Amino acid sequence: MRVLLTNDDGVDAEGILAIRAALALSCESVVTIAPEADCSGFARKCTFSRPVGVTRVAGGRHPVYRCDGTPTDCVRVGLLGGLAAAADLVVSGINHGANLADDVTYSGTVGAGLEAAILGTPAICLSQQTPTGSFSVNYQEDLETAGLAYDFSFAAAHGAALARSVVHARPVEPVVLSVNYPARYAGAKSVLTRAGRRNYPRAAETEWADGDAVWLYLFGEPDEIIPEADGSLGTDIGALRAGHVSVTPLSFAVELGDLSPGFQSFIARLTETFPLGSSAS
């Protein structure tokens, strides 16, 4: 098994070092290409206006490269730049903090996996909830003062086993699995989930004056609890709250027949006043 490994926390982050060590135990090759700096929240941001710089920092059977671009850039460097063109799988993570619900659309960890799928390679994206068990989006934690630390041992072993199973299952299309590990995993089981939904509060009306800056927290104030529009047990949020590992399939390939009844009903009403024909006709 040949793996391209990346993340959004940086090439020296504890999470990527843990999964790299676990993958190296059973992989023919683990090529690590990761950002030189923290790229959290970068989603699929990529670099067009300049070439990205890539530096090898460790050679051998499982080489490590540092990239001055984004997680998406790292995947493109590996799959298109010749460093890991024959990869069977892209592994992104382990992220420091969960990527739940709407967060998957902002996550650099998940963005790297989606880029892999666009380029024809399946991917798994691994994220671990903060040691405090926070579900906040904008959390600020002093783990050292609280006497807490990340323990990636379970996530690394689980992620490596999942990577082997994904390759063995021979996906017929480039799948993406977003995997979230709870802060406390004793007795955790793995469950298939869908992405939950958050319900971000609306800011109060602001008095505006020309030239005066207004400062807004767009994802909630530090450690603010964001209400959930959908955090039921079938979602990634619900699974983590129950102490389970959530495995959420993500895909660009949506057939019209797969749309929800509400969405199909909307399309039917739309075509009454704005005709939309079939591309097959």
Side-chain angles (χ1 to χ4, degrees):
M1 184 170 70
R2 297 157 298 185
V3 168
L4 168 58
L5 175 63
T6 191
N7 73 348
D8 73 356
D9 290 313
V11 68
D12 297 317
E14 291 181 48
I16 198 171
L17 296 179
I19 187 62
R20 179 176 182 267
L23 289 167
L25 294 175
S26 58
C27 289
E28 174 187 340
S29 172
V30 180
V31 178
T32 301
I33 308 173
E36 64 182 10
D38 187 350
C39 295
S40 298
F42 275 35
R44 289 185 60 225
K45 180 180 179 180
C46 47
T47 305
F48 296 103
S49 60
R50 63 169 180 85
V52 297
V54 182
T55 305
R56 195 180 77 179
V57 296
R61 180 176 159 196
H62 306 299
V64 178
Y65 299 86
R66 180 178 66 243
C67 176
D68 73 354
T70 69
T72 287
D73 293 334
C74 292
V75 171
R76 295 183 76 85
V77 165
L79 298 182
L80 301 180
L83 294 180
D88 301 301
L89 180 72
V90 169
V91 177
S92 183
I94 303 169
N95 190 65
H96 295 228
N99 280 304
L100 301 168
D102 315 78
D103 306 353
V104 298
T105 62
Y106 312 117
S107 165
T109 302
V110 176
L114 295 175
E115 188 66 23
I118 288 291
L119 297 178
T121 302
I124 59 175
C125 311
L126 312 175
S127 305
Q128 181 161 317
Q129 190 179 27
T130 67
T132 63
S134 173
F135 284 86
S136 298
V137 182
N138 182 17
Y139 55 85
Q140 295 184 357
E141 301 177 310
D142 186 347
L143 298 180
E144 185 175 352
T145 299
L148 298 171
Y150 278 96
D151 178 0
F152 292 106
S153 56
F154 173 78
H158 182 282
L162 176 61
R164 291 191 296 272
S165 294
V166 168
V167 173
H168 180 73
R170 300 185 303 280
V172 295
E173 63 182 67
V175 299
V176 181
L177 300 179
S178 176
V179 184
N180 281 278
Y181 298 96
R184 286 161 286 279
Y185 48 79
K189 65 178 181 179
S190 304
V191 294
L192 279 172
T193 58
R194 67 181 185 278
R197 294 291 306 277
R198 297 188 191 273
N199 185 18
Y200 287 97
R202 304 282 178 171
E205 289 291 329
T206 302
E207 293 292 334
W208 292 88
D210 293 349
D212 290 345
V214 175
W215 303 95
L216 303 172
Y217 280 106
L218 301 180
F219 290 88
E221 296 188 13
D223 298 319
E224 179 182 353
I225 301 300
I226 304 300
E228 295 156 10
D230 185 3
S232 60
L233 190 57
T235 67
D236 47 12
I237 294 176
L240 249 66
R241 185 160 282 126
H244 302 322
V245 178
S246 71
V247 180
T248 307
L250 305 175
S251 177
F252 287 107
V254 178
E255 298 291 337
L256 292 177
D258 296 333
L259 297 174
S260 69
F263 206 130
Q264 293 190 48
S265 177
F266 156 71
I267 293 296
R269 294 193 302 273
L270 175 64
T271 56
E272 291 176 0
T273 57
F274 193 96
L276 293 170
S278 169
S279 62
S281 60

